């Protein structure tokens, strides 16, 4: 990965200044510590900070075509660049580097705006066509690599991270209350919104062009599922199993392409274990694996990690993460997420990438995406059970199956139906609604909004759900309910939180690139045409993946109960019962700071903090609310209160 | 009355995050108010077990016993009766 940034003057005159590009690049040094490059010409300025992974000596960006009429800065990897290079050379293109970046300019020459359809990779690209004075911004299909933009005083300003846009604005940003309202429902604002007012992300799978004042956006790829039963794959289970195996082997192998050593994360779950085993069996690359261990036994997966280490004789390193570590590092984590988060889980991921860096590794493969693509999440099971229940809402026993998912719920007696009705029965009267699967989660998350300050949010008519619904494609109503919930997950939590706040940002904070074989678009397109029963057979999640990986893994790894990745939330900040929290927590949750920032009701938050302090806040609702409030306060501290100090143009 | 007062304080402070006494009537359903999530029930049970030295059995974890101040008071009174 790298960092990219740029400015285009839409009026054509008074182009960007070198000082501005350098200020932008300096905010992205962590994404690319190996060198900077700039292109300044008339109305355009491009900046690049490089993390050198391919063609270590010759890959400096910006990169241009033969006659320097096309320039590109690029963050990410094109995994099929070797094949593309051969095709382009045959078509007469001349290369001056060995990089994957250079295929982009020649592909554009060859195919115009459709060049992106030929790329297999993870990318954010800014390409400038000198002849037509056209800027193209494009982002990978699923949202692995970030890209943000804003329009300000007649200019389009864009960057890999929002912090690189801020110095150019020369005025402190403000928080978008509607985006916070959405985030405190869906875990992230509805794309393209960000927590920053008037600053947007380029949505995954989107290509945007800017020619003078004219902007055009085109979705070049999206998650598509069959609208008709006949469109599901009909081959035998064993044939499909073989095809999935082949696809995953290739998706993994091309992600090992690098001129530096490549490592892998090993959580001990099915996905990372499968990935590590595929690397072990289908590559000669020496493999080093990395993992997190937690002091809290309920969060720790070390035993399963050890099972894989023994099984494959891995060269493995683990970092141990305590509650205190999470509390201590959370403050800086928000500098990198640039967003409110509802869980502390990104922080251990940042510690993990720090471990990778300390071993001089720049690249890791991870199992992220398998749950979305191949059907692994509990929310899919929950939705399936709720669908089953919705067929006969008055049934005395159908809802009892939810106990399979949530053993701690006492719903063993029919008398308790009223509880389950309230927690999971939401939307039961309309099980065909596109968002049916996610309503209980969103309802629980939205409880945190009771802490919003009345003054700041008095004018907000919460329109989070209609906004989400209007962002969905029309054809979603024709899809199988399981596919609908997959789509929601793939378009909200995954790109909006998992791949950014918990993914790219935590990796790049330590200049480490993540690669995600399960998110290879060929794997996704294959999986999207599998019937849901091959993803979840009864309540057996990732059924086909498990079958495909049986010969690669110890049986206990295949059969183990899925454990969601979690980190300590409230205990990370309130370690001593009834004692003081960490200094920065005490300060940012003080009534004075809460009142001064203005987002939350100081009295209510003080009561929540009191409950947390005495160890009484054990529920998901309170944990999410407290982490959400604290991270918003930290966000304000970094990006608004200290704007002048942190984002000076000089 | 002491039980009722203590319970009201506990619910107002820990679930409604307010000291405004008008925010909760004794007959209000916690479920209908949306103030208790799936683990919130457990928190309430931990609280009354610790505070009143009682043990809540599995088949007693029902709204009729736990879902309002009035229900809680009646349940605790019954459980602590000699």
């Amino acid at each position: 990965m790298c960092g990219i940034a740029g400015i285009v003057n839409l009026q054509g005159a008074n182009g960007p200044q070198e000082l501005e590009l350098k200020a932008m690049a300096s905010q992205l040094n962590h994404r690319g510590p190996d060198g900077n490059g700039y292109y300044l010409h008339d109305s355009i300025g491009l900046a690049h900070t490089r993390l050198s992974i391919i063609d270590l000596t010759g890959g400096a960006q910006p990169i241009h075509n033969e006659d320097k009429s096309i320039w590109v800065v690029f963050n990410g990897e094109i995994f099929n660049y070797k094949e593309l290079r051969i095709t382009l050379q045959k078509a007469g293109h001349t290369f001056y580097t060995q990089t994957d970046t250079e295929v982009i300019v020649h592909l554009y020459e060859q195919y115009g705006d459709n060049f992106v359809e030929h790329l297999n990779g993870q990318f954010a690209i800014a390409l400038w066509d000198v002849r037509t004075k056209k800027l193209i911004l494009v982002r990978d299909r699923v949202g692995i690599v970030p890209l943000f933009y804003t329009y300000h005083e007649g200019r389009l300003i864009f960057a890999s991270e929002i912090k690189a846009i801020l110095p150019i604005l020369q005025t402190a940003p403000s928080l978008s209350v509607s985006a916070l309202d959405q985030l405190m429902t869906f875990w992230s604002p509805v794309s393209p919104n960000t927590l920053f007012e008037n600053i947007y992300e380029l949505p995954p799978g989107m290509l945007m062009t800017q020619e003078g004042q004219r902007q055009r956006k085109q979705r070049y790829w999206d998650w598509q599922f069959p609208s008709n039963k006949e469109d599901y794959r009909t081959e035998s289970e064993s044939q499909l199993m073989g095809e999935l195996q082949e696809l995953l082997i290739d998706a993994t192998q091309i992600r090992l392409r690098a001129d530096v050593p490549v490592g892998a994360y090993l959580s001990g779950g099915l996905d990372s274990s499968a990935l590590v085993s595929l690397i072990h069996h289908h590559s000669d690359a020496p493999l080093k694996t990395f993992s997190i261990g937690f002091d809290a036994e309920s969060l720790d997966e070390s035993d399963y990690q050890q099972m894989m280490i023994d099984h494959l004789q891995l060269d493995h390193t683990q970092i141990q993460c305590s509650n205190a570590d999470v509390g201590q590092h959370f403050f800086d984590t928000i500098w990198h997420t640039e967003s409110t988060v509802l869980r502390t889980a990104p922080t251990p991921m940042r510690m993990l990438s720090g471990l990778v860096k300390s071993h001089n590794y720049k690249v890791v493969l991870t199992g992220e995406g398998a749950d979305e693509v191949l059907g692994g999440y509990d929310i899919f099971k929950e939705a399936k059970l709720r669908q089953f229940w919705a067929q006969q809402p008055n049934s005395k026993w159908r809802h009892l199956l939810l106990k399979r998912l949530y053993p701690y719920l006492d719903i063993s007696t029919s008398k308790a139906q009223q509880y389950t009705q309230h927690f999971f029965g939401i939307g039961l009267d309309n099980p065909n609604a596109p968002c049916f699967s996610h309503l209980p989660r969103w309802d629980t998350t939205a409880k945190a909004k009771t802490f919003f300050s009345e003054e700041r949010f008095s004018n907000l008519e919460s329109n989070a759900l209609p906004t989400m619904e209007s962002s969905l494609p029309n054809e979603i109503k024709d899809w199988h309910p399981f596919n609908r919930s997959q789509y929601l997950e793939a378009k909200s939590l995954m790109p909006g939180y998992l791949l950014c706040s918990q993914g790219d940002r935590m990796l790049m904070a330590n200049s480490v690139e993540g690669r995600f074989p399960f998110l290879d678009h060929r794997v996704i397109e294959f999986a999207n045409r599998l019937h849901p029963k091959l993803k979840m057979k009864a309540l057996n999640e990732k059924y086909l993946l498990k079958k495909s990986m049986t010969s690669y893994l110890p049986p206990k790894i295949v059969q183990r109960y899925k454990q969601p990745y979690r980190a300590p939330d409230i205990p990370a900040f309130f370690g001593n019962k009834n004692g003081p929290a960490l200094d920065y927590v005490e300060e940012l949750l003080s009534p004075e700071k809460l009142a001064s920032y203005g987002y939350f009701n100081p009295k209510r938050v003080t009561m929540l903090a009191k409950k947390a302090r005495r160890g009484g806040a054990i529920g998901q609702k309170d944990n999410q609310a407290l982490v959400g409030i604290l991270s918003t306060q930290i966000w304000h501290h970094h990006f608004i209160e200290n704007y002048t100090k942190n984002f000076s143009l000089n | 009355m002491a039980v009722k007062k203590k319970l009201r304080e506990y619910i107002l402070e820990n679930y409604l995050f307010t000291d405004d006494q008008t925010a909760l009537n004794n007959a209000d359903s916690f479920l209908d108010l949306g103030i208790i999530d799936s683990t919130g029930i457990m928190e309430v049970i931990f609280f009354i077990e610790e505070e009143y030295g009682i043990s809540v059995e599995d088949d007693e974890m029902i709204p009729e016993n736990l879902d309002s101040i009035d229900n809680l008071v009646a349940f605790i009174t019954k459980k602590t009766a000699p």
Side-chain angles (χ1 to χ4, degrees):
Chain A
M1 296 283 197
C2 302
I4 64 172
I7 302 171
V8 188
N9 193 319
L10 307 183
Q11 319 291 339
N14 296 325
Q17 306 297 307
E18 191 178 336
L19 172 77
E20 294 178 307
L21 292 183
K22 287 190 168 166
M24 295 181 92
S26 75
Q27 295 288 345
L28 299 173
N29 273 342
H30 54 284
R31 300 188 71 90
D34 299 331
N36 293 358
Y38 303 96
Y39 172 75
L40 254 175
H41 187 255
D42 291 342
S43 57
I44 179 89
L46 301 173
H48 182 257
T49 64
R50 183 171 190 224
L51 181 68
S52 41
I53 288 169
I54 292 174
D55 192 356
L56 304 185
T57 53
Q61 296 186 36
I63 273 181
H64 53 77
N65 66 339
E66 294 92 335
D67 64 1
K68 300 190 177 179
S69 61
I70 299 164
W71 290 80
V72 72
V73 284
F74 157 61
N75 169 196
E77 300 293 340
I78 308 301
F79 298 118
N80 61 338
Y81 77 101
K82 289 188 176 176
E83 293 78 8
L84 290 171
R85 184 185 172 100
I86 292 167
T87 309
L88 289 163
Q89 280 174 326
K90 280 183 187 162
H93 294 273
T94 308
F95 284 73
Y96 75 100
T97 72
Q98 297 299 316
T99 60
D100 54 342
T101 313
E102 199 180 351
V103 301
I104 296 169
V105 291
H106 298 300
L107 268 181
Y108 175 72
E109 286 184 299
Q110 193 71 21
Y111 301 108
D113 292 1
N114 295 332
F115 75 98
V116 66
E117 291 166 16
H118 297 262
L119 302 177
N120 183 341
Q122 51 194 52
F123 45 82
I125 297 168
L127 182 146
W128 176 248
D129 186 332
V130 177
R131 294 163 301 189
T132 57
K133 294 191 184 304
K134 178 168 82 171
L135 176 75
I136 296 179
L137 297 178
V138 62
R139 196 162 166 224
D140 65 65
R141 292 169 177 84
V142 297
I144 295 168
V145 181
L147 186 57
F148 300 94
Y149 69 93
T150 189
Y151 290 94
H152 182 71
E153 295 181 350
R155 305 158 115 196
L156 166 61
I157 306 159
F158 62 90
S160 299
E161 295 186 18
I162 292 170
K163 56 179 67 70
I165 292 174
L166 298 182
I168 310 304
L169 305 183
Q170 296 197 45
T171 176
S174 55
L175 178 142
S176 161
V177 290
S178 60
L180 185 62
D181 181 56
Q182 291 161 12
L183 193 153
M184 289 210 167
T185 309
F186 312 119
W187 288 56
S188 70
V190 176
S191 182
N193 300 320
T194 73
L195 202 55
F196 294 79
E197 191 84 72
N198 295 325
I199 299 180
Y200 305 98
E201 71 160 358
L202 183 65
M206 196 74 94
L207 180 139
M208 171 174 146
T209 59
Q210 187 79 43
E211 281 184 275
Q213 308 252 22
R214 198 169 65 249
Q215 186 221 59
R216 187 173 63 86
K217 274 190 191 158
Q218 174 202 339
R219 184 174 295 286
Y220 70 90
W221 190 90
D222 200 5
W223 296 66
Q224 288 290 332
F225 295 94
S227 292
N228 301 304
K229 281 181 188 166
E230 304 78 54
D231 294 333
Y232 285 114
R233 297 286 296 266
T234 54
E235 294 89 332
S236 70
E237 199 171 292
S238 63
Q239 270 178 295
L240 293 169
M241 219 173 76
E243 196 173 330
L244 176 60
Q245 210 175 73
E246 288 303 312
L247 271 170
L248 287 176
I249 291 168
D250 191 61
T252 303
Q253 283 177 329
I254 62 173
R255 279 166 181 76
L256 293 169
R257 291 174 173 175
D259 295 328
V260 294
V262 175
Y265 282 172
L266 176 67
S267 72
L270 174 72
D271 312 332
S272 65
S273 300
L275 186 58
V276 166
S277 196
L278 286 170
I279 300 170
H280 179 84
H281 286 95
H282 299 284
S283 154
D284 297 329
L287 178 61
K288 184 161 181 63
T289 52
F290 302 90
S291 71
I292 313 170
F294 285 102
D295 285 356
E297 205 175 311
S298 60
L299 308 173
D300 188 65
E301 296 183 81
S302 296
D303 290 349
Y304 289 106
Q305 292 161 15
Q306 193 58 49
M307 207 177 286
M308 284 304 298
I309 294 162
D310 296 340
H311 183 66
L312 299 176
Q313 295 299 302
L314 295 169
D315 173 11
H316 184 80
T317 306
Q318 188 192 61
I319 189 166
Q320 193 67 17
C321 180
S322 67
N323 291 359
D325 290 329
V326 175
Q328 186 194 333
H329 295 296
F330 187 72
F331 184 79
D332 290 339
T333 292
I334 304 305
W335 171 257
H336 291 283
T337 64
E338 301 182 328
S339 181
T340 295
V341 292
L342 303 176
R343 287 266 169 83
T344 61
T347 295
M349 297 305 289
R350 186 160 70 89
M351 292 171 63
L352 182 58
S353 68
L355 177 73
V356 172
K357 186 181 186 180
S358 72
H359 282 76
N360 296 317
Y361 274 66
K362 288 181 172 179
V363 183
V364 285
L365 270 63
T366 94
E368 199 68 71
D371 286 316
E372 290 82 356
V373 176
L374 290 154
Y377 283 128
D378 276 356
I379 199 167
F380 300 148
K381 290 185 192 176
E382 182 187 292
K384 195 170 175 174
L385 292 172
R386 288 172 57 243
Q387 285 281 351
F388 176 68
W389 183 15
Q391 288 167 21
Q392 287 186 38
N394 297 323
S395 162
K396 296 278 185 243
W397 59 273
R398 286 189 175 227
H399 70 282
L400 298 180
L401 280 171
L402 283 161
K403 193 175 167 65
R404 291 271 300 275
L405 259 184
Y406 304 105
Y408 59 87
L409 284 182
D410 184 42
I411 50 179
S412 56
T413 65
S414 58
K415 284 182 185 171
Q417 181 166 352
Q418 220 176 326
Y419 281 130
T420 41
Q421 181 79 41
H422 270 268
F423 301 148
F424 302 107
I426 180 169
L428 221 58
D429 54 340
N430 187 10
N432 286 320
C435 297
F436 172 80
S437 57
H438 283 58
L439 293 178
R441 180 205 279 174
W442 293 344
D443 188 56
T444 300
T445 307
K447 295 283 195 296
K449 295 180 198 176
T450 55
F451 294 95
F452 281 173
S453 79
E454 289 78 1
E455 296 79 15
R456 189 66 188 266
F457 289 84
S458 60
N459 293 326
L460 176 75
E461 273 186 48
S462 180
N463 62 350
L465 190 58
T467 306
M468 172 61 83
E469 285 171 338
S470 66
S471 75
L472 303 174
N474 288 332
E475 57 268 32
I476 194 169
K477 63 182 186 313
D478 302 324
W479 296 346
H480 189 288
F482 192 89
N483 295 148
R484 284 184 216 146
S485 47
Q486 275 189 284
Y487 187 86
L488 287 176
E489 203 64 8
K491 297 304 286 273
S492 58
L493 191 76
M494 186 182 82
Y497 170 73
L498 293 173
L499 291 178
C500 57
S501 289
Q502 196 171 295
D504 171 86
R505 306 314 187 78
M506 296 304 103
L507 287 153
M508 292 313 302
N510 286 304
S511 315
V512 174
E513 172 179 292
R515 296 180 177 185
F516 312 89
F518 288 104
L519 291 174
D520 186 306
H521 70 278
R522 297 168 304 165
V523 177
I524 297 173
E525 287 167 2
F526 165 80
N528 286 0
R529 288 193 57 212
L530 293 174
H531 193 279
K533 71 184 177 199
L534 288 173
K535 294 173 184 166
M536 189 165 294
K537 196 155 201 165
L539 291 182
N540 184 7
E541 78 276 4
K542 287 181 287 198
Y543 172 75
L544 198 71
L545 178 65
K546 285 179 180 171
K547 293 278 276 187
S548 304
M549 291 297 126
T550 301
S551 61
Y552 287 88
L553 297 170
K556 279 189 178 170
I557 296 286
V558 179
Q559 291 154 10
R560 67 171 289 201
Y561 193 79
K562 179 177 169 54
Q563 178 173 339
Y565 164 65
R566 292 283 304 270
D569 290 314
I570 284 179
F573 307 112
F574 296 89
N576 306 316
K577 193 168 181 180
N578 294 320
L582 294 167
D583 287 350
Y584 78 86
V585 178
E586 290 289 354
E587 187 191 339
L588 290 172
L589 295 186
S590 68
E592 298 74 30
K593 277 287 180 193
L594 287 160
S596 140
Y597 292 1
Y599 308 123
F600 302 104
N601 179 311
K603 207 167 178 179
R604 285 177 188 269
V605 175
T606 300
M607 287 185 176
L608 174 62
K610 188 176 164 194
K611 185 178 181 183
R613 209 182 300 276
R614 68 168 172 77
I618 57 173
Q620 187 178 326
K621 182 167 66 91
D622 291 341
N623 274 271
Q624 286 181 0
L626 192 121
V627 176
I629 292 162
L630 179 60
S631 57
T632 307
Q633 293 288 101
I634 299 172
W635 178 91
H636 184 100
H637 171 89
H638 286 321
F639 298 102
I640 296 183
E641 191 169 54
N642 287 295
Y643 174 81
T644 309
K645 181 177 136 213
N646 291 335
F647 300 103
S648 155
L649 198 52
N650 301 308
Chain B
M1 286 307 286
V3 173
K4 187 174 284 183
K5 186 166 181 289
K6 184 108 189 165
L7 284 169
R8 282 187 59 83
E9 267 172 25
Y10 172 75
I11 296 292
L12 281 168
E13 192 170 314
N14 289 280
Y15 296 96
L16 290 163
F17 302 101
T18 180
D19 52 12
D20 175 6
Q21 293 290 326
T22 64
L24 181 71
N25 293 318
N26 292 334
D28 285 347
S29 158
F30 302 155
L31 286 170
D32 290 344
L33 286 175
I35 59 171
I36 298 222
D37 68 7
S38 50
T39 48
I41 293 298
M42 308 310 290
E43 292 176 13
V44 173
I45 291 166
F46 289 155
F47 174 76
I48 61 173
E49 285 188 336
E50 198 173 311
E51 193 69 27
Y52 300 103
I54 59 175
S55 170
V56 181
E57 305 304 323
D58 282 359
D59 61 3
E60 292 173 329
M61 291 188 209
I62 53 174
E64 285 85 339
N65 291 335
L66 307 171
D67 193 42
S68 68
I69 296 291
D70 284 341
N71 291 5
L72 277 170
V73 171
F75 178 60
I76 292 164
T77 306
K78 188 176 76 182
K79 292 285 284 187
T80 53

